[in-house]
Amino acid sequence: MSWESVIPNVLAGDAKAVACPPMESEEFAGFYERSARALWAYLARVSTDPALADDLMQESYVRFLGASRPEEGEVAARRYLFRIATNLLRDHWRRPRQASIEEIPEEFFQARDESGQSDSRAVLGPAMKLMRPRDRQLLWLAYAEGYSHREIAEITGLASASIRLLLFRARHKIARLLREQDVNDGRRL
Amino acid sequence: MTLFGCAREKEVAELVRLGQWPQAFPAELRAHVSLCRACGELVLVSGAFQRARVEAGTAARLEAAGPLWWRAQLLRRNAAIERIRKPILGAEIFALTITLLVAVGFLASEAGKVHGWLSWFEDLPKALHFEALWPSMPTSVDGNVWLVVPVLALLALLSGVVVYFASEKQ
């Protein structure tokens, strides 16, 4: 028995706003199983802090369950989840200094976890640290998650028209960093 | 390389996403990637991010879904209760206001009878025969409620203080 049946019509006022009924426990478990790893990877790589990724991932799911989610199916639900996570990341970055994410120096976002470096982390990690947080978000959403420009605009809240330019610059920069890293690694070897 | 990139980027991106770079790429497309700066960049970046995604996914320490679901239910329920609490509080304030108004109106309508009540209070000791309970009461006090009531109140207060200090000592 759900609590809605105990307190009937409590949400009657929200009936128009709710696009989709709340997820039942089993449905959520399946969705969580399919989306949690990708979401954690996004949060961990963009924030460069696995502990923060743990916290934000839990908070993202709780907010996702509490919000009126879109009715377009799992793809849209997943996109909505990433949007919540992106907003939480932005809130986290803004909170300590009460400043815009664009004004915060990049040193502030540099990784605090140096343990357990895997191959791809050793390759991508140093380059990611040198990117702006917003660029990390855009790159991850585009090249790790495979979202289109329109979807990225929806997730990040940026104008769809500016995504192409921002992504072009970010990709150019990280490609240069990856090449430089390759050269440096080659010299070291 | 222009801002609009290469026309074949979409095709290259899809194949990289499917994990077909470089072995499963057609030779012609591989040759294009080696010559096209935009596609070369795309393959480099996309490949690095795809590998990072897989590795980060396996490194994730996932909590069970159940507690998250229950936590969300609890928050939803609390929010709903909070929503219905506001109108209930409003109704309570309204009811209290009406009650107070009725009480004030009643008292105002009964104001003329106050003198009758006071005389009834004055006659109360006589009606209860306090003089029989307190034989030593001076005759001058007899019937004077304004002296008897404060004395009783003072006695009650003092006994309360004595009981309080006694319990404190214990």
Side-chain angles (χ1 to χ4, degrees), chain A residues 3-4 10-11 14 22-25 28 32 37-38 40-41 45 54 57-59 62 65-66 78 118-120 124 128 139-140 143-145 165 168 171-172 174-175 179, chain B residues 1-4 9 37-38 41-42 44-46 48-53 55-65 68-69 71-73 75-77 80-81 83-84:
Chain A
W3 60 267
E4 283 95 339
V10 163
L11 295 172
D14 297 343
M23 269 188 182
E24 287 302 320
S25 180
F28 172 68
Y32 180 80
R37 289 186 186 283
W40 190 87
R45 283 312 179 105
D54 288 340
M57 187 176 77
Q58 289 183 24
E59 189 61 28
V62 169
L65 285 166
R78 197 182 167 104
S118 58
D119 282 350
S120 77
L124 193 63
M128 281 287 265
L139 287 168
W140 191 271
Y143 299 111
E145 289 300 323
L165 180 61
F168 173 80
R171 191 180 83 183
H172 193 58
I174 202 161
R179 284 198 197 100
Chain B
M1 187 171 61
T2 67
L3 177 58
F4 300 103
E9 270 191 39
R37 193 176 166 189
E41 246 181 28
L42 176 64
L44 175 69
V45 173
S46 205
F49 274 89
Q50 291 290 326
R51 285 192 297 277
R53 182 181 187 266
E55 285 192 10
T58 53
R61 300 177 300 271
L62 300 185
E63 194 191 326
L68 285 176
W69 190 81
R71 196 177 140 203
Q73 296 307 305
L75 288 175
R76 281 172 61 87
R77 191 193 62 181
I81 289 172
R83 269 198 293 273
I84 59 169

Side-chain angles (χ1 to χ4, degrees), chain A:
Chain A
M1 184 173 65
S2 68
W3 60 267
E4 283 95 339
S5 58
V6 179
I7 310 171
N9 300 324
V10 163
L11 295 172
D14 297 343
K16 286 171 194 166
V18 175
C20 206
M23 269 188 182
E24 287 302 320
S25 180
E26 292 79 17
E27 188 189 358
F28 172 68
F31 176 71
Y32 180 80
E33 189 65 33
R34 291 187 292 275
S35 60
R37 289 186 186 283
L39 184 68
W40 190 87
Y42 168 63
L43 289 167
R45 283 312 179 105
V46 172
S47 71
T48 67
D49 185 347
L52 176 65
D54 288 340
D55 292 345
L56 294 187
M57 187 176 77
Q58 289 183 24
E59 189 61 28
S60 299
Y61 278 107
V62 169
R63 290 197 185 191
F64 171 81
L65 285 166
S68 52
R69 65 197 166 89
E71 206 179 3
E72 297 145 33
E74 181 153 337
V75 175
R78 197 182 167 104
R79 202 162 54 227
Y80 188 55
L81 180 68
F82 270 80
R83 186 177 170 182
I84 293 171
T86 301
N87 289 338
L88 287 173
L89 262 176
R90 191 181 300 137
D91 290 347
H92 172 79
W93 284 327
R94 281 176 173 166
R95 210 174 298 139
R97 298 195 177 189
Q98 299 291 311
S100 163
I101 190 171
E102 305 305 324
E103 295 162 13
I104 300 173
E106 285 175 15
E107 295 77 42
F108 180 73
F109 301 105
Q110 284 191 351
R112 288 183 282 278
D113 75 311
E114 299 298 331
S115 60
Q117 285 208 346
S118 58
D119 282 350
S120 77
R121 190 179 292 181
V123 172
L124 193 63
M128 281 287 265
K129 283 180 201 169
L130 296 171
M131 302 297 291
R132 295 173 67 87
R134 187 184 61 191
D135 291 344
R136 286 183 217 157
Q137 286 181 326
L138 296 177
L139 287 168
W140 191 271
L141 292 170
Y143 299 111
E145 289 300 323
Y147 282 122
S148 67
H149 293 174
R150 188 184 55 79
E151 288 172 320
I152 294 171
E154 196 180 308
I155 290 169
T156 58
L158 294 168
S160 188
S162 61
I163 297 289
R164 178 185 282 268
L165 180 61
L166 292 170
L167 205 49
F168 173 80
R169 285 179 183 161
R171 191 180 83 183
H172 193 58
K173 184 178 176 184
I174 202 161
R176 183 173 51 79
L177 291 169
L178 288 172
R179 284 198 197 100
E180 284 173 6
Q181 200 175 303
D182 273 354
V183 170
N184 291 338
D185 290 348
R187 275 186 201 146
R188 236 176 274 145
L189 293 170

